[in-house]
Amino acid sequence: MTHPWSIAAVTLAYGLMLVGSVSAGGGGSPAALQSFPLYNAGERVDGLPLAAVLRREDTAHFVSFVYGDCVAGDDAGCAPPAEIQIWPSCRRNLGLYDRVQSVGAPAERISVRGVPALLFDDGTRLELETGQSTAVVFAGTRARVLRIAGALRTIDGTVLSLRPLPQPTRGQEGGPSNC
Amino acid sequence: MLRFALVVALASAVALGGTPALAHFDAADRYTHKACPASAANRIDPVNVVFMTWGTWGRAESQIESHAGWTASSGSAQAFTDHGSCASMHTQRASGHGSRFHIRLRGQHADATLGWTALAAAHHEDLVLLPLACGHAVDANGPAGSGFDQGRDELLRRFTDAGHSSSRVWWGNTQSFKQCDGDYAGSDGWTVFIQLHQASHP
């Protein structure tokens, strides 16, 4: 379930962040308890403050960090300036786009901080795999997306901004082959 | 059903390969926009339904009314893009005027494999009156998914019950959108392709 959290709740979320990982999936099986490292860009990135932390464990599974604000109206939501979604790589990974059914515009394959990544939607969406996590970055421009990708860091401090990211472990021994 | 899924898969592969001479369906932009020109900053809703085969917007409108019973036409306009061109939607339908299911549609290029196609953005939205009246807001994410997922799934269920073939395709358009009540909602990233028949309903 996803909740938009107020500042107080964001503080609580940071408490969660200190743990360094979250449970992925609401099922009771051991696979459902697979944890995945959380990344964000700190309390501010590219001039945008952290505005909300969201979590989904329903038809989608991720923790989201929303940066900046926007003004929604009647019958018309709005797109926040930037968002980082962290999925367990067993749920979302670059391999989804290798399958024929995974349609969309052609993606641009790049490397970000030493790990494979794909750019979609004219560079306004980046997906990269690192360790057992997949980071999905949304922003208004390619340049901002890449700056945010450069700022990604684990919330437990084991991976710092601008440093090389851990290689993907999906499909490897110890990796999250299923959820 | 398998044959239908294969058609969608093949068309998707062609779309990925960027061979417009064979396929004109354009999935490059998977969001609606508040106005033209389209940009990432004025995205409003994720596209989560594609009508195909006889998927003209008029047939889609007619069959939504017949199979889902969504006959209300109130709501604000949004824009879609197709091959880089931005244009206003063709139509919209809703299940009522208060809290309701709601879908906006725009017909797209015909496709060599998919046939006539129309993009659509479906959702369930609440009419928010308290604590501050702000109007319609898409349901926040919940156990049944977001309002976007609920709208798509309800429409799919109605069409499936009426015998229409369908297929789910991963689009990854999961960006979160802030609503007027302060909640956030986003698609789970799956889009459904629904096959329409030629005959419109009375």
Side-chain angles (χ1 to χ4, degrees):
Chain A
M1 185 170 182
T2 301
H3 300 284
W5 291 347
S6 63
I7 296 301
V10 169
T11 304
L12 175 63
Y14 267 108
L16 174 68
M17 293 172 200
L18 292 176
V19 176
S21 63
V22 298
S23 169
S29 69
L33 298 177
Q34 172 70 50
S35 62
F36 57 102
L38 276 183
Y39 290 75
N40 71 9
E43 295 184 33
R44 178 176 290 271
V45 64
D46 211 32
L48 302 169
L50 178 62
V53 180
L54 316 173
R55 179 172 177 165
R56 285 192 69 166
E57 288 189 76
D58 42 81
T59 55
H61 297 256
F62 61 81
V63 176
S64 170
F65 301 89
V66 176
Y67 289 89
D69 202 2
C70 60
V71 179
D74 175 14
D75 204 25
C78 63
E83 180 182 11
I84 300 168
Q85 294 178 357
I86 307 298
W87 296 59
S89 60
C90 55
R91 296 277 186 186
R92 181 172 188 164
N93 55 67
L94 304 191
L96 282 172
Y97 303 101
D98 294 335
R99 301 173 191 168
V100 173
Q101 289 87 347
S102 303
V103 304
E108 179 183 354
R109 292 189 176 276
I110 63 172
S111 177
V112 174
R113 296 166 63 185
V115 300
L118 292 174
L119 273 168
F120 300 88
D121 304 341
D122 290 330
T124 61
R125 182 177 111 218
L126 172 78
E127 299 194 19
L128 66 81
E129 261 188 88
T130 177
Q132 299 177 4
S133 302
T134 297
V136 185
V137 179
F138 298 92
T141 65
R142 175 191 178 106
R144 172 167 271 180
V145 162
L146 294 176
R147 286 195 295 271
I148 293 172
L152 287 175
R153 62 195 189 191
T154 52
I155 57 173
D156 63 3
T158 55
V159 178
L160 302 177
S161 300
L162 303 175
R163 299 292 181 82
L165 291 165
Q167 291 300 306
T169 57
R170 173 173 54 94
Q172 299 177 11
E173 187 174 352
S177 58
N178 57 68
C179 288
Chain B
M1 181 65 81
L2 179 61
R3 185 177 179 184
F4 171 69
L6 184 60
V7 167
V8 171
L10 287 173
S12 302
V14 171
L16 275 171
T19 51
L22 292 176
H24 295 278
F25 177 69
D26 178 24
D29 187 358
R30 284 155 281 196
Y31 297 94
T32 67
H33 299 268
K34 188 171 185 177
C36 294
S39 71
N42 66 10
R43 289 172 180 163
I44 298 182
D45 292 344
V47 173
N48 54 10
V49 179
V50 177
F51 294 103
M52 57 175 285
T53 308
W54 286 97
T56 61
W57 68 266
R59 286 185 176 85
E61 177 187 85
S62 168
Q63 293 174 42
I64 288 169
E65 289 184 345
S66 297
H67 299 319
W70 300 356
T71 56
S73 58
S74 61
S76 60
Q78 293 182 12
F80 293 74
T81 66
D82 186 8
H83 290 85
S85 296
C86 178
S88 184
M89 66 185 192
H90 281 125
T91 190
Q92 61 186 318
R93 284 295 180 268
S95 61
H97 299 284
S99 293
R100 62 184 188 170
F101 291 103
H102 186 195
I103 186 169
R104 295 179 173 90
L105 306 100
R106 179 172 175 84
Q108 302 294 88
H109 275 78
D111 180 272
T113 303
L114 295 177
W116 294 101
T117 61
L119 298 184
H123 56 266
H124 184 273
E125 60 193 8
D126 287 334
L127 182 59
V128 178
L129 300 176
L130 295 171
L132 294 174
C134 79
H136 284 110
V138 177
D139 296 3
N141 309 316
S146 70
F148 297 117
D149 306 326
Q150 294 172 43
R152 174 203 61 203
D153 293 345
E154 176 67 12
L155 190 76
L156 177 62
R157 185 181 67 80
R158 300 292 187 109
F159 273 81
T160 300
D161 288 349
H164 289 251
S165 298
S166 66
S167 181
R168 291 167 65 91
V169 178
W170 172 254
W171 273 17
N173 50 346
T174 60
Q175 183 173 8
S176 299
F177 293 94
K178 188 176 183 180
Q179 304 299 310
C180 68
D181 59 0
D183 284 342
Y184 291 82
S187 169
D188 61 12
W190 290 94
T191 290
V192 295
F193 283 64
I194 299 174
Q195 193 169 18
L196 297 188
H197 45 67
Q198 183 176 11
S200 290
H201 295 277

